[in-house]
Structures are given as C-alpha cells and as structure tokens.
Amino acid sequence: MRAIRVVLADDEPVIRAGVRAILAADPDIDVVAEAADGRELVDAVLAHRPDVALVDIRMPGLDGLAAAAEVRRTAPGAAVLIMTSFGEDAYVARALGDGAAGFLLKTGDPREFPLGVRAAAEGGAYLSPPVAARVIRGLAGDRLSRSAAARDQVAALTGREREVLALVGEGLSNAGIAARLHLAEGSVKTYVSTILGKLGVPNRVRAAVIAHEAGLAGGR
C-alpha cells in the first residue's frame, strides 16, 4: 500500500517542522509539500494531489478556513483536516460545515495527528477529544427536537442506505463498512455520496451526528 500523501500548511516554520517530524515517524505517511499561507496551500494541493491537507486555521492572506473551502471545491479528492491552537466552537462549526474531515488541536496529544490523517485518508472523520466533547454538549441542549428532525431526514433513505449511515455513525471508514456489509468499497463510496445528498449535509461528521440523533447508531 502506498503512503498517505499529505500537504501541510502553517505560517509558523517551527510548527510545520514539529508536525512534519510527528508525521515522519509514521512510515505510512509522506508529507509531500508545505505551505506558509492559504494561497500556497491551494496551489500545493493542485500540484501534488495529496490524500490529506492538514491546515492551520489562522494564516495570513487567505486564512485556513477559506483555503480549506477552496481545496474542497477545487480538489474534492483531498480530505481536509483543520489544526489550530484555538478551540472556539465557531471555528469548529464553520470548518465542519465547509466539509472538513476533522479538527485537531495543536495543544493536544501529538499522537492524534497520524490518527487524524489516517482516518481522513480512509474516508472517515476525526475530532480531537476536547472538540468532540464540545460538539456533543452543543447537541445535548435540544436533543428532542434534533432527534425528530433527524428521523424525518433519514426517512428518505432506503434500507441499505440506513445500514450504511448507521456504520458511518459508528465511525467506520468506507473499507470498514464494505467489510461489515460484504460490499465493494466503490459501492460504499456511492452509497455515502448518495446519503450525503439526501440528508443535505456536506460531510461524514454531520451525517454521523444525524445517525446518532435518529437512533441508527450509538446503541440508542
């Protein structure tokens, strides 16, 4: 299996060097390019076609969130992971709403970086535990109304699509879902794309939330 190709973007050379060193310790991850701002990131992604773009949230010129949105538009094959020293909920909501595959805190456990990169490259999602905790707390306040809305959304799905969505909610990658349901991985990718379209959500994280709220995942 070839290495996971990563483009790394951060305006601080020391941070880039540190993250690169963390990822270089994993033989299955290859940082193929670096960028110091959002525009360089977009150009690097288009030039190198990585599996994952690991993007700082605050950079000069085109900031990380705007750059991530442009990457998702111009190079949809590249998963985007956002990293930052800041954990404000507004950043999380915007990043996930723009289709990011996950959110990493620079101040978190360094082991989260290869974990996040692997999850994103496999078509999954990764949230740093402190970020995940905030997302869950934010959902808890109006759980009943969200559950009703989620059940209405999944009503449009076929039985097989609900099975796939439930496994997305459990955090399985496309390969994991394919193995569980005895499907080709390409078929799972098609199902996931169709599910996102029917639910009207931009990414697997949002679909996973709906799966939990609708009672399809999480043992509810």
Side-chain angles (χ1 to χ4, degrees), residues 101 115-116 118-127 160-183 185 188-189 191-193 195-196 203-209 211-212 216-219:
L115 290 174
R118 287 178 178 277
E122 292 173 1
Y126 188 89
L127 288 177
R160 176 62 88 183
E161 288 166 353
R162 291 189 191 193
E163 289 179 321
V164 172
L165 177 60
L167 297 178
V168 169
E170 292 180 17
L172 271 67
S173 66
N174 288 344
I177 294 171
R180 182 77 64 87
L181 297 180
H182 306 290
L183 296 171
E185 189 171 346
V188 173
K189 290 182 179 179
Y191 275 121
V192 170
S193 178
I195 289 166
L196 296 183
N203 55 51
R204 296 171 74 103
V205 174
R206 297 280 290 276
V209 169
H212 282 268
L216 297 181

Side-chain angles (χ1 to χ4, degrees), residues 14-105:
V14 173
I15 297 296
R16 290 203 309 273
V19 174
R20 175 187 274 274
I22 292 169
L23 296 179
D26 190 316
D28 295 326
I29 297 176
D30 182 17
V31 177
V32 297
E34 296 182 16
D37 59 46
R39 181 50 55 194
E40 286 186 10
L41 165 68
V42 174
D43 292 342
V45 167
L46 293 177
H48 294 275
R49 297 293 175 177
D51 302 297
V52 178
L54 186 55
V55 185
D56 181 31
I57 206 166
R58 290 191 173 184
M59 294 187 291
L62 189 67
D63 70 25
L65 292 182
E70 188 164 343
V71 167
R72 294 292 298 152
R73 181 179 61 82
T74 59
V80 174
L81 277 174
I82 300 294
M83 60 178 180
T84 184
S85 299
F86 306 92
E88 292 90 343
D89 294 347
Y91 289 136
V92 177
R94 182 179 164 193
L96 298 180
D98 284 343
F103 205 99
L104 298 169
L105 295 181

Side-chain angles (χ1 to χ4, degrees), residues 102-160:
F103 205 99
L104 298 169
L105 295 181
K106 293 181 185 179
T107 54
D109 188 334
R111 290 173 295 182
E112 291 180 16
F113 283 88
L115 290 174
V117 166
R118 287 178 178 277
E122 292 173 1
Y126 188 89
L127 288 177
S128 180
V131 177
R134 281 195 296 276
V135 171
I136 292 169
R137 285 197 299 269
L139 295 174
D142 56 349
R143 178 172 295 172
L144 291 178
S145 61
R146 286 182 179 272
S147 293
R151 287 194 294 271
D152 287 342
Q153 286 178 281
V154 302
L157 303 181
T158 65
R160 176 62 88 183

